């Protein structure tokens, strides 16, 4: 029985169709597609286009995208919509520009050729049912006429004021009157509306070729980038379908995109945790401790081994094998934190995630990102495209699987997820929050499967994350639990902003009823009919 005095909300329940996003205007745009006969892909594309307009610090057409799509009655397939480095990008070429051991977020060398539009168009060509002009109509209208800033977007925008000042064009556009917009203020993106119109009529070629590509490349080269029009032209069809990877967790199949994403780390955490009793009677300190230790082990391997698909072949089979998982699990001391892991990867921050189930039973798990809040901050004033900075996760270490090289894709943190039972997909889900995503997948699924929580309750629980040699915890974790974690050797840091965000739609296999959830840490909602 749900506690209606808890100041929380229950999961959303519907019979036919549902969408869950982190922004109400995105959810309503997707629901509109479903209500006029569109399918899951149409709703997802409408929603993400709106989010590119109304949450510009978290996502955009200058970013990357990954998708898990499960057509009714068929196994899920994965779409890799991550961008590639320019053809001239080598470690020597970047070091010749004066770079040290890392690629700064605002460097033009952090900007790989964006992959999102290639992915959107590939997804639409293969599975869309409504025309893109119809799908993008809401997004274009909000970009031209304006939209009201929501509270979480306003808070995040204000946190990024100093960062935006790295680029004169981004600062002039995103800081009107020299400040971040407040909740309730109206904001417009007319150049983004023009780009969406071009894509709707001309497809991916309208973004990766012609005058728009020439202007983007010209701007990037003026910043010192190595990009060429040929790099962009080749990228129009760079998004491609691949086989997902999966692992079993207590009788459920958890499905993720393969490397270059970090979904493998999520599966490693779950497989390690499967060797422990995480049921409802386990003390909270024990649960947090075990999750932290499994996370550190999985992320250590992520940072040293995951990179471009060509450098990660066979990696999932090896790291998910019984021998490897048993060895890693044996290193966990249930009463003591392991020494801090040495981290040398940049923080992976901002993204949007959404999921849809339509009346035919098609399910989609969809994530789109520009990496940092406002990406690289590099805004092309001629096209209005704000570029991501995903290339900053490349390594400049010779021989590293994630070392930058021509046309290589970097390791990505953005990971859509899906759960199946007895071969049937029953839940698209995802967790935003950059590095936290793999750990978040494991924590969310454990709450559902090990303790029987419903999707919304599982999302609303206070979070923790072992990262960077410390254990970040949200304020909702009780003082007594904090004390016990410190006694075990964890270095605690109270999070000064919410850890991640999430969405999920669970399909009851017996009745077909949909149970949706959208994280209260964001502005969004799950809604259906």
């Amino acid at each position: 029985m749900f506690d209606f005095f808890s100041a929380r909300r229950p999961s959303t329940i519907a019979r036919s169709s549902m969408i869950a996003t982190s922004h109400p205007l995105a959810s309503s745009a997707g629901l509109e597609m479903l209500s006029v006969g569109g399918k899951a892909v149409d709703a997802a594309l409408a929603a993400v286009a709106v989010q590119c307009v109304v949450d510009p610090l978290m996502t955009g057409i200058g970013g990357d995208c990954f998708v898990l799509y499960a057509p009714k009655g068929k196994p899920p397939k994965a779409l890799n919509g991550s961008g590639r480095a320019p053809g001239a990008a080598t470690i020597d070429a970047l070091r010749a520009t004066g770079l040290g051991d890392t690629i700064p977020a605002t460097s033009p060398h952090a900007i790989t050729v964006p992959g999102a539009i290639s992915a959107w168009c590939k997804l639409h060509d293969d599975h869309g049912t409504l025309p893109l002009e119809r799908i993008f109509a809401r997004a274009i209208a909000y970009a031209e006429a304006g939209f009201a800033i929501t509270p979480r977007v306003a808070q995040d925008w204000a946190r990024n004021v100093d960062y935006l000042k790295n680029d004169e064009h981004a600062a002039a556009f995103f800081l009107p009157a020299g400040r971040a917009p407040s909740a309730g203020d109206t904001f417009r993106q007319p150049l983004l509306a023009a780009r969406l119109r071009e894509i709707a009529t001309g497809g991916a070629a309208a973004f990766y070729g012609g005058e728009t590509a020439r202007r983007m490349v010209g701007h990037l080269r003026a910043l010192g980038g190595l990009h060429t029009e040929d790099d962009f032209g080749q990228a129009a069809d760079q998004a491609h379908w691949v086989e997902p990877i999966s692992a079993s967790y207590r009788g459920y199949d958890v499905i993720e995109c393969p490397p270059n994403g970090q979904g493998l780390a999520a599966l490693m955490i779950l497989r390690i945790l499967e060797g422990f009793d995480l049921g409802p009677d386990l003390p909270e300190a024990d649960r947090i401790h075990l999750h932290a230790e499994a996370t550190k082990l999985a992320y250590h391997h992520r940072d040293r081994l995951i990179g471009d698909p060509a450098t990660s072949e066979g990696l999932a089979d090896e790291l998910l094998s019984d021998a490897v998982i048993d060895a890693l699990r044996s290193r966990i001391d249930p009463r003591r934190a392991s020494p801090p892991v040495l981290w040398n990867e940049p923080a992976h921050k901002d993204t949007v995630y959404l999921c849809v189930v339509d009346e035919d039973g098609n399910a989609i798990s969809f994530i789109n990102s520009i990496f940092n809040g406002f990406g690289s901050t590099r805004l092309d004033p001629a096209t209005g495209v704000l570029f991501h900075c995903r290339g900053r996760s490349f390594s400049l270490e010779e021989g590293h699987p994630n070392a930058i090289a021509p046309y290589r894709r970097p390791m990505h943190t953005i990971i859509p997820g899906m759960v199946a039972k007895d071969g049937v997909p029953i839940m698209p889900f995802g967790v935003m929050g950059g590095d936290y995503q793999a750990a978040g997948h494991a924590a969310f699924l454990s709450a559902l499967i090990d303790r029987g929580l419903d999707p919304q309750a599982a999302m609303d629980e206070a979070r923790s994350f072992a990262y960077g040699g410390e254990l970040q915890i949200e304020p909702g974790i009780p003082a007594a639990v904090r004390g016990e974690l410190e006694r075990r050797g964890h270095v605690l840091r109270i999070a000064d902003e919410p850890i991640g965000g999430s969405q999920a739609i669970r399909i009851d296999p017996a009745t077909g009823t949909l149970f949706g959830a959208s994280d209260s840490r964001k502005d969004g909602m799950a809604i259906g009919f």
Side-chain angles (χ1 to χ4, degrees):
M1 181 72 69
F2 184 78
D3 179 6
F4 288 98
F5 291 103
S6 66
R8 298 183 181 275
R9 58 186 177 190
S11 294
T12 300
I13 301 176
R15 279 287 305 155
S16 175
S17 304
M18 186 173 289
I19 180 168
T21 86
S22 57
H23 197 288
L25 296 182
S27 292
S28 64
L31 188 70
E32 181 182 3
M33 295 301 99
L34 295 169
S35 68
V36 298
K39 303 306 177 186
V41 164
D42 306 308
L45 290 172
V48 75
V50 166
Q51 293 221 228
C52 289
V53 176
V54 303
D55 200 356
L57 69 161
M58 290 288 174
T59 197
I61 63 173
D64 282 347
C65 172
F66 285 86
V67 175
L68 286 171
Y69 178 60
K72 176 67 174 179
K74 297 181 179 179
K77 55 183 182 176
L79 181 63
N80 185 327
S82 60
R84 297 177 293 194
T90 65
I91 292 175
D92 288 343
L94 267 62
R95 289 201 182 278
T97 67
L99 286 182
D101 294 330
T102 60
I103 304 173
T106 57
S107 167
H109 306 301
I111 301 169
T112 55
V113 179
I117 297 306
S118 178
W120 294 11
C121 292
K122 177 68 174 173
L123 187 61
H124 182 262
D125 288 347
D126 291 351
H127 297 287
T129 62
L130 299 176
L132 283 176
E133 292 93 335
R134 180 71 180 90
I135 289 171
F136 289 167
R138 282 279 198 108
I140 291 170
Y142 291 137
E144 289 185 328
F147 60 93
I149 302 290
T150 49
R152 178 61 197 271
V153 172
Q155 175 180 302
D156 293 338
W157 207 311
R159 286 179 176 268
N160 282 278
V161 167
D162 290 340
Y163 182 59
L164 277 168
K165 293 177 181 177
N166 285 294
D167 185 272
E168 60 175 320
H169 305 297
F173 183 69
F174 288 114
L175 301 176
R179 66 169 183 85
S182 300
D185 286 353
T186 298
F187 194 80
R188 297 174 178 83
Q189 295 207 64
L191 286 176
L192 180 53
R195 302 288 78 73
L196 289 171
R197 277 201 173 91
E198 288 175 352
I199 296 163
T201 57
F207 181 80
Y208 295 101
E211 188 62 22
T212 293
R214 280 193 291 274
R215 289 177 172 179
M216 289 191 292
V217 169
H219 184 67
L220 291 171
R221 291 191 72 86
L223 294 171
L226 303 173
H227 311 75
T228 66
E229 289 183 39
D230 186 59
D231 292 330
F232 270 71
Q234 291 185 42
D237 60 356
Q238 67 185 343
H240 60 288
W241 295 105
V242 295
E243 280 295 315
I245 58 175
S246 65
S248 176
Y249 185 72
R250 307 199 199 282
Y252 293 85
D253 292 320
V254 183
I255 302 157
E256 301 276 356
C257 293
N260 53 316
Q262 68 163 335
L264 175 54
L267 299 181
M268 290 179 69
I269 297 170
L270 285 166
R271 287 223 60 206
I272 292 169
L273 291 178
E274 193 172 27
F276 299 94
D277 181 0
L278 299 177
D281 296 330
L282 185 70
E284 187 173 6
D286 290 347
R287 188 183 319 281
I288 293 172
H289 171 77
L290 291 171
H291 182 264
E293 297 305 288
T295 296
K296 288 188 283 187
L297 290 166
Y299 277 43
H300 177 71
H301 288 76
R302 179 200 76 168
D303 292 343
R304 295 307 306 168
L305 299 174
I306 294 179
D308 183 274
T311 69
S312 304
E313 190 173 350
L315 186 62
D317 289 339
E318 180 180 357
L319 293 185
L320 294 175
S321 67
D322 289 343
V324 170
I325 294 301
D326 290 346
L328 293 177
R329 189 185 296 131
S330 70
R331 297 176 188 173
I332 294 178
D333 182 344
R335 307 306 305 173
R336 193 72 191 163
S338 63
V341 174
L342 295 176
W343 300 81
N344 58 3
E345 302 294 319
H348 302 228
K349 292 187 174 181
D350 296 315
T351 230
V352 299
Y353 170 81
L354 60 93
C355 51
V356 188
V357 176
D358 64 29
E359 62 184 356
D360 293 338
N362 304 307
I364 190 166
S365 185
F366 192 114
I367 199 157
N368 211 89
S369 173
I370 55 174
F371 205 176
N372 276 34
F374 292 106
S376 65
T377 72
R378 298 307 186 182
L379 177 75
D380 173 21
T383 63
V385 174
L386 176 68
F387 294 103
H388 67 167
C389 56
R390 187 60 61 175
R392 71 182 294 242
S393 69
F394 273 126
S395 171
L396 295 180
E397 175 188 337
E398 291 284 0
H400 193 290
N402 194 34
I404 195 166
Y407 306 116
R408 184 168 284 180
R409 292 174 166 89
M411 190 274 285
H412 272 61
T413 53
I414 55 175
I415 49 171
M418 194 168 289
V419 176
K421 180 69 172 174
D422 299 325
V424 179
I426 61 168
M427 188 177 71
F429 78 99
V431 178
M432 300 168 281
D435 272 302
Y436 175 70
Q437 291 180 50
H441 278 210
F444 174 67
L445 292 180
S446 177
L448 287 172
I449 297 169
D450 292 312
R451 286 180 285 155
L453 300 184
D454 76 2
Q456 191 64 56
M459 284 180 192
D460 288 342
E461 287 210 317
R463 290 178 175 149
S464 63
F465 180 35
Y467 180 80
E470 61 187 12
L471 181 59
Q472 302 172 27
I473 61 171
E474 290 188 332
I477 293 175
V481 174
R482 299 181 198 176
E484 175 58 27
L485 292 169
E486 287 180 320
R487 280 190 289 275
R488 297 188 192 189
H490 293 283
V491 178
L492 300 190
R493 181 173 71 82
I494 308 300
D496 58 2
E497 61 181 330
I499 299 175
S502 49
Q503 271 79 232
I505 301 172
R506 181 170 63 83
I507 308 165
D508 187 313
T511 65
T513 300
L514 307 175
F515 295 80
S518 182
D519 206 313
S520 58
R521 295 167 179 83
K522 300 283 187 176
D523 295 313
M525 62 178 67
I527 189 168
F529 56 84

